[in-house]
């Protein structure tokens, strides 16, 4: 399998569920009150891109512990945002503290129906203020009781007092307006949520291939695309620099320290 | 005769028979008798006579390279010691029969690099630490350089695939001091332990004390290499 069949994939021609309600870049920027990466973070000069990308690629791939599958619903915005936050959380808290999140627990708050789709700014704002619930797995049930939700199922009900659990997974984002900021954020381990052709995904890694810069994104179509890493299998597509240059994205700056996840760690029982 | 020399004598005799020349063989080596570690040594057989030449390094498996049709040999080594080369020259005697001559050459390779001064304070192993070690890194996203971010990525990935008992690594953001949560309280407490003049990213090695609360056993600025953190954590855990 060649990665070249997954470069600049024409989503309009792929018979897979999507769900991003397209907006102009101006509307995308206006919809979220946050800082721009260009003014908040160090920019890596292009002369150093190749060295940084080569060093970071395998590590960024390793941060992905789950590739999401939105099933037949138009919940790509929920999947892209919760997927990006999960991946960033592995960098912060480690794989032993990794908790897969329920994309539908976010999408239910920003979509009108299973297939309506949603706006990216709505998802970013919800994730910043109220977070998302853990995915319904045996491990998460043991940790959070009933405060979990499935991956899909728009009409699933929110559990009681879901907000108190979801807020543990809130995150902060920075807006990315330029390719230079895009690259700089990625190699720091900050995945970027973005959309094109009515589909939202999250950008994971830059990669130089045959002299061209590509930006690998993690999709939410299950085992689709190129291999992410041996643990999670396939799920990676690539957008060229030309495509990324036309996009605005939101990078995960950090994930809230999740007290309920890490409270058994003595390092957090610190006293003065 | 040394076994190595015997082997090449047979080889050059065979070669000499194939290219017979009416000249009694004579093996003569010239070159240095002493060399420094890593320096290139060239031994010369051009004063020899014969129809073919072969070199052997006796009692060593180091690599050497015959050049100029065997008239010279090139050698360098990173191991100090005495090395003995043998040169076998083959030709024909006055009766037209095959004949050889052998010469030996010893060269001393010496290590004359300056020796580091002895450590005035021998490294004392740290006291063993009970309980599992955690590594807490406080970072400040707005000032984190790309190289520091790369070190954190390396640290995380190395922990991810550590063969046994990797330390638990948590990365906290100083920016979270501003929030109104337990997170903020924890981040503030760690931030207060950063000495004046130091800045994030900053590393704390933490372990549970007798009362179940965290004890900072060591702390310092984030090193440039992730391995330094892991090795320190390993030493503290041992």
């Amino acid at each position: 399998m060649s990665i070249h069949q997954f470069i600049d994939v024409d989503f309009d021609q792929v018979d897979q569920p999507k769900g991003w309600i397209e907006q102009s870049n101006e509307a995308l920027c206006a919809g979220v009150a946050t800082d721009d990466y260009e003014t908040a973070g160090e920019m890596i000069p292009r002369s150093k891109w190749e060295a940084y990308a080569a060093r970071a690629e395998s590590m960024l791939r390793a941060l992905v512990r789950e590739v999401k599958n939105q099933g037949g619903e138009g919940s790509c915005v929920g999947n892209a945002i919760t997927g990006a936050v999960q991946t960033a959380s592995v960098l912060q808290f480690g794989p032993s503290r990794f908790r897969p999140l329920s994309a539908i627990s976010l999408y239910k708050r920003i979509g009108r129906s299973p297939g309506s789709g949603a706006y990216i700014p709505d998802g970013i704002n919800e994730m910043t203020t109220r977070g998302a619930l853990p995915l319904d797995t045996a491990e998460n049930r043991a940790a959070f009781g009933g405060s979990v939700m499935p991956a899909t199922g728009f009409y699933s009900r929110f559990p009681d007092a879901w907000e108190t659990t979801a807020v543990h997974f809130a995150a902060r984002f920075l807006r990315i307006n330029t390719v230079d900021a895009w690259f700089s954020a990625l190699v720091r381990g900050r995945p970027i949520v973005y959309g094109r052709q009515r589909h939202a995904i999250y950008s994971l890694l830059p990669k130089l291939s045959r002299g061209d810069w590509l930006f690998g994104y993690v999709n939410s179509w299950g085992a689709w695309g190129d291999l992410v890493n041996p643990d999670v299998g396939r799920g990676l597509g690539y957008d060229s620099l030309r495509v990324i240059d036309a996009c605005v994205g939101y990078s995960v700056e950090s994930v809230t320290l999740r007290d309920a996840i890490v409270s058994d760690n003595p390092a957090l029982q610190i006293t003065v | 005769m040394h076994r190595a020399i015997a082997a090449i004598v047979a080889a050059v005799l065979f070669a000499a028979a194939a290219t017979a020349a009416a000249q009694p063989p004579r093996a003569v080596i010239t070159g240095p008798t002493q060399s420094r570690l890593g320096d290139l040594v060239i031994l010369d057989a051009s004063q020899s006579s014969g129809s073919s030449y072969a070199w052997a390094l006796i009692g060593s498996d180091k690599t050497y390279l015959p050049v100029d049709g065997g008239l010279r040999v090139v050698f360098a080594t990173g191991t100090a010691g005495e090395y003995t080369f043998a040169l076998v020259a083959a030709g024909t005697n006055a009766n037209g029969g095959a004949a050889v001559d052998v010469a030996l050459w010893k060269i001393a390779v010496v290590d004359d690099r300056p020796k580091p001064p002895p450590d005035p304070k021998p490294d004392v192993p740290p006291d063993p630490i009970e309980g599992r070690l955690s590594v807490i890194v406080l970072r400040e996203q707005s000032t984190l350089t790309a190289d520091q971010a790369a070190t954190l990525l390396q640290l995380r990935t190395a922990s991810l695939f550590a063969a046994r008992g990797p330390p638990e690594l948590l990365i906290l953001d100083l920016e979270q001091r501003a929030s109104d949560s337990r997170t903020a309280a924890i981040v503030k407490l760690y931030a207060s332990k950063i000495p004046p003049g130091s800045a994030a990213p900053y590393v704390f090695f933490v372990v549970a004390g007798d009362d179940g609360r965290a004890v900072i056993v060591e702390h310092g600025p984030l090193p440039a290499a992730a391995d330094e953190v892991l090795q320190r954590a390993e030493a503290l855990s041992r």
Side-chain angles (χ1 to χ4, degrees):
Chain A
M1 185 189 313
S2 163
I3 70 168
H4 293 273
Q5 67 192 96
F6 301 111
I7 297 174
D8 291 347
V9 171
D10 185 349
F11 290 151
D12 287 336
Q13 300 301 316
V14 180
D15 185 21
Q16 291 277 5
K18 301 169 191 80
W20 172 46
I21 302 175
E22 283 193 68
Q23 291 176 290
S24 67
N25 282 350
E26 290 73 21
L28 263 173
C29 292
V32 180
T34 188
D35 293 329
D36 292 326
Y37 186 94
E38 287 82 355
T39 59
E42 178 198 13
M43 305 290 278
I44 298 172
R46 293 198 182 195
S47 60
K48 295 183 179 177
W49 275 21
E50 189 171 352
Y52 275 99
R55 189 164 50 162
E57 180 178 344
S58 62
M59 295 184 280
L60 294 172
R61 287 175 181 270
L63 294 182
V64 181
R65 312 314 297 162
E66 185 206 20
V67 172
K68 293 195 171 294
N69 191 336
Q70 64 190 86
E73 294 176 313
S75 58
C76 64
V77 173
N79 280 274
I81 293 173
T82 53
V85 169
Q86 285 178 199
T87 296
S89 76
V90 174
L91 172 60
Q92 277 191 258
F93 306 117
S96 64
R97 305 286 181 182
F98 168 71
R99 291 286 185 270
L101 297 176
S102 161
I104 208 69
S105 74
L106 178 61
Y107 178 67
K108 266 179 75 72
R109 288 173 273 152
I110 56 177
R112 295 187 312 277
S113 70
S116 67
Y119 294 102
I120 286 178
D122 289 350
I124 298 292
N125 288 331
E126 273 294 319
M127 199 68 195
T128 303
T129 53
R130 294 202 289 178
L133 279 178
L135 187 65
D136 189 354
T137 64
E139 194 175 13
N140 280 342
R141 276 191 173 271
F144 301 101
S147 283
V148 295
M149 283 190 76
T152 58
F154 183 80
Y155 296 111
S156 304
R157 296 172 61 91
F158 281 114
D160 292 341
W162 64 271
E163 292 97 332
T164 54
T165 299
V167 79
H168 290 308
F169 301 92
R172 291 184 297 131
F173 296 83
L174 285 177
R175 185 167 36 244
I176 308 281
N177 304 283
T178 61
V179 170
D180 294 276
W182 201 287
F183 180 97
S184 302
L186 289 185
V187 297
R188 286 160 174 265
R190 294 169 163 181
I192 300 167
V193 177
Y194 70 113
R196 64 173 180 84
Q197 291 179 295
R198 298 181 293 121
H199 190 42
I201 48 202
Y202 74 91
S203 192
L204 176 72
L205 57 90
K207 181 182 181 68
L208 188 61
S209 175
R210 299 183 182 177
D212 294 323
W213 278 105
L214 303 176
F215 292 83
Y217 59 83
V218 180
N219 207 336
S220 50
W221 293 342
W224 172 93
D226 189 28
L227 187 74
V228 181
N229 65 50
D231 291 341
V232 303
R234 299 194 297 141
L236 204 61
Y238 300 89
D239 277 341
S240 66
L241 189 144
R242 178 186 56 82
V243 168
I244 294 298
D245 198 27
C247 295
V248 166
Y250 286 93
S251 72
V252 183
E253 190 184 17
S254 67
V255 183
T256 305
L257 178 61
R258 299 162 296 170
D259 301 350
I261 304 292
V262 296
S263 59
D264 63 324
N265 189 316
L268 299 180
Q269 312 304 318
I270 188 171
T271 55
V272 180
Chain B
M1 186 182 291
H2 193 281
R3 201 180 306 165
I5 301 175
I8 61 170
V9 164
V12 292
L13 277 175
F14 179 79
T19 58
Q23 186 181 27
R26 183 163 169 261
V28 179
I29 303 174
T30 58
T33 56
Q34 186 167 310
S35 171
R36 289 184 303 183
L37 218 56
D39 280 1
L40 204 61
V41 174
I42 300 175
L43 300 180
D44 190 319
S46 60
Q47 294 177 29
S48 307
S49 59
S51 55
S52 64
Y53 306 97
W55 293 86
L57 179 54
I58 299 172
S60 170
D61 58 359
K62 299 286 185 191
T63 305
Y64 57 95
L65 179 66
V67 295
D68 296 341
L71 285 177
R72 287 184 181 80
V73 69
V74 179
F75 173 66
T77 178
T79 308
E82 188 176 78
Y83 295 86
T84 302
F85 276 90
L87 169 67
V88 179
T92 52
N93 58 25
N95 301 324
V100 296
D101 187 32
V102 179
L104 300 178
W105 189 267
K106 287 185 178 177
I107 180 165
V109 177
V110 297
D111 182 0
D112 62 352
R113 295 173 299 183
K115 300 289 185 291
D119 189 348
K121 287 189 293 183
D123 190 19
V124 179
D127 293 335
I129 292 173
E130 297 294 330
R132 190 168 178 207
L133 191 76
S134 291
V135 177
I136 308 288
V137 178
L138 251 63
R139 68 178 180 187
E140 187 158 25
Q141 288 279 34
S142 57
T143 61
L144 193 72
T145 68
D147 286 333
Q148 289 166 341
T151 300
L152 289 182
L153 260 178
Q154 285 171 344
L155 191 56
R156 165 60 67 213
T157 314
S159 301
L160 200 62
F161 299 115
R164 67 176 183 84
E168 182 154 62
L169 169 67
L170 296 180
I171 299 174
L172 309 181
D173 283 302
L174 273 172
E175 285 90 341
Q176 292 192 354
R177 280 180 295 190
S179 66
D180 182 24
S181 67
R182 181 164 168 266
T183 302
I186 293 166
V187 172
K188 280 177 189 169
L189 279 168
Y190 274 109
S192 70
K193 308 287 184 187
I194 299 178
S198 296
Y202 202 83
V203 185
F204 294 91
F205 297 91
V206 181
V207 72
D210 292 339
D211 59 356
R213 296 206 172 259
V215 176
I216 298 171
V217 292
E218 197 167 303
H219 56 92
L222 180 71
D227 279 351
E228 286 183 48
V229 178
L230 294 173
Q231 285 166 8
R232 196 65 201 134
E234 171 79 17
L236 290 169
S237 301
R238 198 175 296 141

